[in-house]
């Protein structure tokens, strides 16, 4: 629903804030998922509500989200909800050569979904994500550099039962189209991921 040209709302199953943009820069999900999706930092889609506001003069957008937190493969079974915000800045919207340059920031605060619902309800597993991306999309080439950090920890009555653990990933990728008429048929792409996993084991949390 869009009451104005600059304000819109969405309710239902939708992509979470990072992947719906990252996949427009990294266009080859059929080859490999984006780095955050591949390493399960958060679900790529969830049931929820979002509100988007386009900044004046095409300088970007601000979007807020509220999700069930269980992803698109599991039903709702706990009281926890996830919240997120994404800010995207287009620094030079009036420059024909550089209007495809974007800076994107995302913060996602939620809980991990566990198969054991009793543990899930008693010990909320924090699942917090921060993301930053610099990207450019032009007629002949596109490039993206993204950094994601994921923090998990188990909390009970305000105290931490398990030390917060952090995983990080840096992903750099780009694509170049062939010149002339060949650009409709050929495109060269490359990608490099640098992933530092967490050492946390949250599968055996007990009282």
């Amino acid at each position: 629903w869009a009451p104005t040209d600059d304000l819109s709302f969405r309710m239902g199953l939708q992509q979470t804030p990072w992947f719906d943009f990252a996949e427009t820069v990294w266009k080859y999900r059929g080859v490999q998922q984006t780095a955050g999706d591949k390493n399960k930092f958060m679900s790529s889609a969830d049931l929820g509500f979002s509100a988007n506001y386009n900044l004046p003069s095409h300088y970007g957008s601000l979007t807020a989200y509220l999700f069930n937190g269980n992803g698109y493969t599991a039903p709702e079974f706990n009281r926890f909800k996830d919240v997120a915000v994404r800010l995207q800045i287009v620094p030079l919207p009036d420059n024909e050569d550089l209007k495809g340059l974007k800076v994107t920031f995302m913060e996602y605060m939620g809980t991990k979904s566990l198969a054991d619902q009793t543990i899930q309800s008693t010990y909320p597993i924090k699942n917090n994500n921060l993301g930053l991306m610099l990207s450019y999309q032009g007629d002949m080439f596109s490039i993206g550099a993204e950094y994601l950090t994921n923090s998990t920890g188990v909390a009970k009555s305000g105290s931490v039962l398990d030390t917060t653990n952090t995983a990080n990933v840096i992903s750099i990728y780009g694509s170049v189209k062939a010149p002339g008429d060949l650009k409709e048929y050929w495109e060269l792409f490359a990608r490099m991921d640098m992933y530092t996993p967490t050492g946390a084991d949250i599968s055996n949390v007990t009282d």
Side-chain angles (χ1 to χ4, degrees):
W1 178 53
T4 71
D5 291 340
D6 294 325
L7 182 64
S8 61
F9 302 94
R10 180 182 297 177
M11 181 177 291
L13 186 65
Q14 55 192 288
Q15 285 188 296
T16 48
W18 196 248
F19 305 117
D20 63 342
F21 175 66
E23 288 182 351
T24 66
V25 185
W26 170 250
K27 300 171 289 186
Y28 307 100
R29 182 178 177 86
V31 177
Q32 184 58 268
Q33 298 163 297
T34 60
D37 194 7
K38 176 186 176 184
N39 294 293
K40 308 302 181 186
F41 278 26
M42 68 192 89
S43 177
S44 60
D46 204 343
L47 188 66
F49 171 83
S50 64
N52 179 78
Y53 172 68
N54 294 323
L55 301 180
S57 302
H58 307 287
Y59 275 99
S61 63
L62 177 65
T63 313
Y65 302 81
L66 176 66
F67 293 114
N68 275 349
N70 296 318
Y72 61 90
T73 60
E76 177 66 281
F77 57 74
N78 60 55
R79 67 184 188 277
F80 304 112
K81 298 294 179 283
D82 294 1
V83 295
V85 62
R86 185 185 70 192
L87 174 64
Q88 188 167 86
I89 300 296
V90 181
L92 299 167
D94 297 324
N95 186 304
E96 284 300 317
D97 295 325
L98 296 176
K99 64 182 181 181
L101 180 66
K102 297 178 181 178
V103 180
T104 306
F105 169 80
M106 178 273 303
E107 183 170 10
Y108 185 104
M109 296 167 287
T111 58
K112 279 189 174 292
S113 295
L114 298 181
D116 189 322
Q117 298 176 25
T118 301
I119 292 177
Q120 172 81 53
S121 298
T122 307
Y123 303 99
I125 312 297
K126 294 187 298 180
N127 181 36
N128 298 333
N129 296 272
L130 287 173
L132 181 65
M133 177 190 288
L134 179 65
S135 63
Y136 175 80
Q137 293 170 278
D139 293 335
M140 293 301 297
F141 73 94
S142 63
I143 188 169
E146 61 178 280
Y147 170 77
L148 278 171
T149 180
N150 170 264
S151 299
T152 59
V154 186
K156 177 186 177 185
S157 300
S159 62
V160 175
L161 300 182
D162 186 19
T163 303
T164 297
N165 292 269
T166 302
N168 304 288
V169 66
I170 296 173
S171 185
I172 301 172
Y173 41 83
S175 62
V176 179
K177 294 182 179 180
D181 294 339
L182 292 176
K183 68 179 182 180
E184 302 296 329
Y185 307 99
W186 297 95
E187 192 165 333
L188 178 67
F189 63 89
R191 173 173 145 183
M192 178 179 68
D193 292 352
M194 293 165 282
Y195 175 55
T196 304
T198 176
D201 181 4
I202 61 172
S203 61
N204 298 311
V205 177
T206 58
D207 196 352

